[in-house]
Amino acid sequence: MEFRRLLEAERRRLLAELDALGQRAAAADDMPRTGGETAEDDALADAAIHTLERDRDSAVESSLRALLEEVEQALARYRQGTYGICVRCREPIHPQRLRAIPHATLCVACKTDQERTRSPLSPMLLTEWRVFKPPKDWDEEENPGRR
């Protein structure tokens, strides 16, 4: 029951954020544009700002919708009786993890393993370092006449 409440609260929060984002986008479309020294400057500046704001809002909306989908799937698992079971190892997910991330699908061990094996930023082993001396005329090639 506790986790269903957490999931439903998260669902309401995400829906409210998506609604606020939509309202902000609608209000931005209705706002008059101003800014530059000429009408052409105003139009260019407004178009650039509007494009940046739309791109940012689109990225935020995409993230919110993806998170909402995860919450909806967690609620479906709750209804099916499979909520709180790791989808990888089929062991129970610790309640503290579910309290922190109610839509979690992996236990801590499986999530750690997933991040370690999939992360493009995983630590790379350095076997050797080489420092190359630049050729004597290297500086001259880059900056003719300078020595």
Side-chain angles (χ1 to χ4, degrees), residues 48-125:
I49 290 169
H50 192 66
T51 299
L52 288 172
E53 289 173 348
R54 279 192 176 207
D55 287 350
R56 181 202 62 215
D57 288 350
S58 178
V60 170
E61 180 183 11
S62 179
S63 294
L64 290 172
R65 290 198 182 283
L67 188 52
L68 180 60
E69 179 61 27
E70 290 178 24
V71 170
E72 296 285 0
Q73 290 173 1
L75 283 166
R77 286 191 307 277
Y78 188 89
R79 287 188 293 272
Q80 296 166 354
T82 58
Y83 177 78
I85 305 297
C86 178
V87 297
R88 190 171 179 195
C89 70
R90 297 290 183 208
E91 292 294 319
I93 299 172
H94 196 282
Q96 285 180 309
R97 176 162 170 76
L98 292 173
R99 284 185 192 98
I101 307 169
H103 57 276
T105 59
L106 298 172
C107 67
V108 172
C110 289
K111 184 64 175 174
T112 300
D113 187 52
Q114 179 192 50
E115 288 176 353
R116 189 177 320 122
T117 58
R118 288 191 184 179
S119 175
L121 301 176
S122 60
M124 294 175 23
L125 297 176

